[in-house]
Structure formats: C-alpha cells, structure tokens
Amino acid sequence: MAELKLIGGRPSSFVNRVQIALNIKSINYEFLEEKIGSKSELLLKSNPIHKKIPVLIHNDEPICESLIIVEYIDELWTSGPSILPSDPYDRANARFWAAYVDNKWSPLLRDVRTARGDEKLALINQLVGGLVLLEEVFVKSCKGKGFFGGDSIGYLDIALGCFLGWLKAAEKLADVKLLDETKMPRLAGWAERFCSDDAVKDVMPGAEELSEFAKKFLLSPPPQSPWITHLKTSTT
C-alpha cells in the first residue's frame, strides 16, 4: 500500500496545485480520482469538515486545503527544491498574494463561466484588472528572474499558475483575451514558462479539455451533483 495518496480530480486547479508541489519534490504518490457526481467514503472520512478535494493522505493521516498541503510538502520533504521563500518577508508576501488569488481573483474566474451580458463584462474587466495587478507583483517579486519564486517555481507560482488552464478555457468559452501580452508582457511570459515546466505540463489539463468539461458539466450540470458543486465553489 502506498505511503502517500492524493484524493482529487483532474479538472480541479486546487488538486493540480498539490500535484505540482509533489512533482517539484520528485515524490511518488498514488492518485485516487473522485468520480464525477459522487463523493467517496474515503473523501468524506478524510475531510469531514469541508468534504472537498484535494486531500493528501500521508501514513494514513489526512491533510486538507491545497495551500496547507503545499506547505506541508515543502516543510516535510526538505531534500528537494524549496517552494516557500527562505526570507521571512518574501515568505509573508507570497502568502499574502496567494490569499489574494484564492479569495479575490479566482472567484471571478469561476463566475465568468456562467455569467451573461453586463455581468460577464464586469467580471471580465475585474479579471483583467487583477492580472494587471499581478503583473506588478511579478515584477517586484521575481527579482529579474523567470518566476515569482526566482529561478524556479515557488509558492506564489503554484498558487496562481494552477489556474492558467482554466484561464485559457475561459478565454475560449468567452471568446475574449484575458492574459493580454500587450498589457501584461511579463506575466504572459511567466505563464508560458510555468505551463511548459516539467513539474506542470503533464498535470494541468489544456484549454480544450477544460472547455469541453465546462460545457458538459459546469454550464449544464446534472442535478444533485456534489462533485460539480465542489468545482464551482471550492476555495481549497
């Protein structure tokens, strides 16, 4: 039996977040995929409070909430590349902006998929405004290097980068350019580097796959589908 298991689903950005951290550390794990439309007994037992993916099970002990899991991985497997910045200020700053991504920016990305008319236009403007802000954060954080974390993918890279697949899918579904190279050249370059990294490229679904998933399950979800409800509301 595997020592390390990850309960999740391929379309979930929050699950992808954990997978990327595990890949950075070169950690082997067993992936337990939740079926669409249901929640397994193991998930309900492992995360009885929120009943959401992802859940990392290490030596039969569950760890919940994606960013908490990423920090757990970084603190426990110290032999691999560091994910959190070593400097206390940089570490606090990365956590602050990761919280911004989860609490302020990513809900806009979630909601724009089903919005219509003026509401959709307002959400798109807010999404783009958030990306412009994150471009400024990148310029200040990267210190002239390729990632928020410097030379390699770090904590804030993972926190934001896990949404790039869904960002591209939103562009496809809404027929609009959100991550505009002319407005956000540095962030657009970062996005390309992030998605092509070995720790990321085989984990995160592409825009076409996510667009088809959204059309099938999110835009016209089957009734009483708790798994889909998770994808529409989860902030873990």
Side-chain angles (χ1 to χ4, degrees), residues 182-217:
T182 61
K183 296 179 180 178
M184 301 147 256
R186 300 289 298 278
L187 197 65
W190 162 82
E192 291 296 324
R193 287 188 294 276
F194 182 86
C195 291
S196 62
D197 191 273
D198 288 341
V200 178
K201 61 185 180 183
D202 293 329
V203 166
M204 202 159 55
E208 187 66 35
E209 180 181 345
L210 292 174
S211 297
E212 291 304 313
F213 180 88
K215 291 175 185 176
K216 186 174 181 180
F217 294 108

Side-chain angles (χ1 to χ4, degrees), residues 3 7 12 29-30 39 47 53 63 96 105 116 118 126 137-138 140 165 182 188 201 214 226 234:
E3 179 187 41
I7 306 174
S12 170
Y29 63 96
E30 181 181 357
K39 297 188 180 186
N47 190 359
I53 54 176
I63 304 97
F96 174 87
W105 185 80
R116 296 289 183 271
D118 290 343
Q126 291 177 64
V137 175
F138 175 77
K140 293 178 181 177
T182 61
K201 61 185 180 183
S234 173

Side-chain angles (χ1 to χ4, degrees), residues 14 44 97 103 107 121 132:
F14 303 103
L44 297 175
W97 286 109
N103 299 328
L121 180 60
V132 171

Side-chain angles (χ1 to χ4, degrees), residues 14 30 34 41 67 69 73 113 127 135 145 204 211:
F14 303 103
E30 181 181 357
E34 286 289 295
E41 290 185 13
L67 287 178
I69 297 172
I73 291 167
R113 293 194 295 258
L127 264 174
E135 163 103 349
K145 298 178 181 178
M204 202 159 55
S211 297

